[in-house]
Amino acid sequence: LAKTTQPISMDSYEGQEVNITCSHNNIATNDYITWYQQFPSQGPRFIIQGYKTKVTNEVASLFIPADRKSSTLSLPRVSLSDTAVYYCLVGDEEGGSQGNLIFGKGTKLSVKP
Amino acid sequence: DTGVSQNPRHKITKRGQNVTFRCDPISEHNRLYWYRQTLGQGPEFLTYFQNEAQLEKSRLLSDRFSAERPKGSFSTLEIQRTEQGDSAMYLCASSPRDYSDTQYFGPGTRLTVL
């Protein structure tokens, strides 16, 4: 199974750029890297997905090195409302798992004023 | 597109009772997933449907759990003879077609078993 490792928690201040790095040493050739955000008492929300190099959308950027053994989610100029848990996931196609997401414990980001 | 909805949002029950949760996916989404999330942990996969067919079940889904998706639309998750260890947030997600598609999650149903 492709597992991920990410910091348990991070602190930041409003207006700063936040980078959360995730390790996934056993990522499979066909796996994509996906990040979700979750607020308390809500379901996870898709942020961004990538396969290699860099992906950017209106919310975040995702940097993936050539070996794809890690990835970095970059949140520009965070605000208090970005306080949430961020999950890094890789697709798991082994054992017949057809797309069920394997979540770790995530990174709890706390943004302070 | 109103998103994935789940009902009820909260459920308190006594140990040994049966409970049923409902999930309404985004219209025309073929795949529907159920996850369970306990405090401080990420969601754990329980089962998923491709249209009305239940294609995979996690070992977490004991015999007391059953899920259905009649006609490939809404889904229900039933837990029989609830135990305190069943207390968790039960999340539903849907995606358009196959495993590579983004999953859209509902707000969840929080179950408390007394």
Side-chain angles (χ1 to χ4, degrees), chain B residues 3 19 21 25 39-40 43-44 49 59 69-71 73-74 76 79 82 85 97 104 106-107 109 113-114:
Chain B
V19 295
F21 310 139
L39 198 61
E44 298 172 291
F49 293 82
R59 58 180 173 78
R69 192 184 182 195
K71 302 179 182 179
S73 55
F74 70 92
T76 58
I79 308 175
T82 53
R97 296 177 302 275
Y104 297 86
T109 295
V113 181
L114 302 177

Side-chain angles (χ1 to χ4, degrees), chain A residues 8-29:
Chain A
I8 295 296
S9 64
M10 292 182 70
D11 291 332
S12 182
Y13 291 93
E14 282 189 295
Q16 289 187 332
E17 177 184 77
V18 171
N19 296 308
I20 306 174
T21 297
C22 177
S23 298
H24 27 80
N25 292 321
N26 297 322
I27 189 170
T29 302

Side-chain angles (χ1 to χ4, degrees), chain A residues 18-61:
Chain A
V18 171
N19 296 308
I20 306 174
T21 297
C22 177
S23 298
H24 27 80
N25 292 321
N26 297 322
I27 189 170
T29 302
N30 295 331
D31 284 345
Y32 279 74
I33 300 155
T34 309
W35 286 79
Y36 279 79
Q37 174 193 56
Q38 187 176 27
F39 298 112
S41 299
Q42 294 187 25
R45 181 177 75 102
F46 171 86
I47 300 176
I48 197 166
Q49 184 181 71
Y51 184 79
K52 61 179 179 180
T53 62
K54 177 183 175 181
V55 180
T56 297
N57 61 22
E58 64 277 8
V59 176
S61 294

